Amino acid sequence: MLVCFICGNAIHFGVQMCAESEVCMLQQLDPIASPTDSISHQRSPEQSVVQRLWRACCKTVFVQSSFRSFIEPLVRLISPGYLAGFQRAKVLMVQPIASGYLLRLKPHGGLTMLPGQHVQLRIEQAGRFVDRFFTIASSQQQLQQAGIIELAIRQKPQGQISEWLKGGITPGADVWLGDVAGQFQLHQERPAWMIAAGSGITPFRSMLQSLSRLTQPVHLIYLVKQADQAWFADEWTELCRKFPLLTVDIWATQQRSRPDLEQIAQQVAAMHADLYVCGPNALRQQLTQALAALPHWQGKLFSETFGGSSSGDSQTVEFISRAGQNLQASGQGSLLQLAEQQGIAAKFGCRRGVCMQCVCQKQHGQVRNQLTGELSSFGPELVQLCVSEAVTPVTIQLSV
Ligand code: FES
């Protein structure tokens, strides 16, 4: 992890300074920069070429440390869409789906993916870059043959990507795609049970649409609150027709009772099947516990989770903002959820423990990593807000 060399803030993704320090530095070096400039520094029409060059030189010489980021400001003068480490993609379509949007993108470069992997999406909104991670919802063939990927994005109240999509983003707009990563992939060695909750259906759509043949039985349970909230409903029927070994059960929890996870675990064990779970961490934990009680199960559990689960204890968390303001929150859930419930601004990206954008300094107190169950020390250390929950009273120094 990198640390801003001016203010000491934790920073990631090859950025050498936090936004505030960059503005501050540019102000010292360049009277054109204003405190309201954002990190992406949009050109204003009245800036002359000389002024822009001066500014780029300031950034290049004094601010950047890696070669890629060294050349980025200069390349952006000629090609404003260039971002080191990202490739540009064109928005082809934004289609509203139940409580969300389907975003179809055409990457400019040679993106490669495996079904089930996720990608970093970067958009520019009001002069600032916003990064989020989304599982690719489309097939590998669609990318190889048509050069297209699809992301299915759940609408979130006040979510920045949701606002951007709702704001009427039009086909032809540019976005950026970072690295494709992830280990959540289908192994056709044994029969498979797949459990998807809500937007957790996206990797399974990609996996199943990418198959040319299905050699083992696959049973997919897709949990939604109401049947009409299921994404890609007609595609599941089509896939079941194509693959006789595939069965899909769209399970509307408000119309049927919640599924009995112990019973599901028993069926998985009886079939000697592998279990694939994509949904809230709590769902994965309950299934893990249910399977642990079945020692004869020989399969494997593959999971991709989001959101936190709580240990059930409510602890007080003190957040200290960069301005030195003390803000208190208490309750259950991840530190990020607690901060947000109290309206405390905290940086985040993927919300699933991948991107490290939410890393903050814990001053004291113990936290549990919700993904691994690992307990931290009681002393100062860096923690990920999105996947850490307080075990004792905790004090967190925020990066904003
Ligand atoms: S928000 Fe990505 S790791 Fe926490």
Side-chain angles (χ1 to χ4, degrees), residues 348-358 384 386:
F348 64 88
C350 63
R351 304 182 75 95
R352 58 171 77 171
V354 178
C355 72
M356 309 298 280
Q357 286 197 59
C358 64
Q384 290 168 278
C386 69

Side-chain angles (χ1 to χ4, degrees), residues 95-101 153-155 226-232:
Q95 181 188 322
I97 51 177
S99 311
Y101 296 92
I153 299 174
R154 190 160 60 90
Q155 202 171 339
Q226 291 175 348
D228 60 2
Q229 288 179 349
W231 285 353
F232 320 118

Side-chain angles (χ1 to χ4, degrees), residues 34-45:
S34 82
T36 52
D37 270 0
S38 67
I39 196 162
S40 62
H41 296 283
Q42 289 186 316
R43 289 178 186 181
S44 75

Side-chain angles (χ1 to χ4, degrees), residues 173-227:
D174 277 330
V175 296
W176 293 266
L177 295 172
D179 290 336
V180 176
Q183 305 290 330
F184 190 56
Q185 284 145 35
L186 178 63
H187 309 264
Q188 286 201 68
E189 290 153 12
R190 275 181 280 266
W193 276 60
M194 298 172 165
I195 316 278
S199 58
I201 193 65
T202 49
F204 297 125
R205 181 189 190 231
S206 177
M207 287 174 189
L208 294 169
Q209 284 202 341
S210 300
L211 289 174
S212 50
R213 66 196 184 101
L214 193 56
T215 55
Q216 296 280 355
V218 172
H219 183 57
L220 167 64
I221 297 179
Y222 178 13
L223 301 171
V224 285
K225 283 192 182 142
Q226 291 175 348

Side-chain angles (χ1 to χ4, degrees), residues 255-269:
Q255 281 135 14
R256 293 158 78 176
S257 58
R258 292 191 74 79
D260 183 337
L261 298 183
E262 282 174 18
Q263 209 175 61
I264 288 177
Q266 280 165 8
Q267 287 173 290
V268 169

Side-chain angles (χ1 to χ4, degrees), residues 84-96:
F86 286 82
Q87 60 173 281
R88 244 192 303 176
K90 216 158 252 325
V91 174
L92 295 184
M93 184 196 79
V94 182
Q95 181 188 322

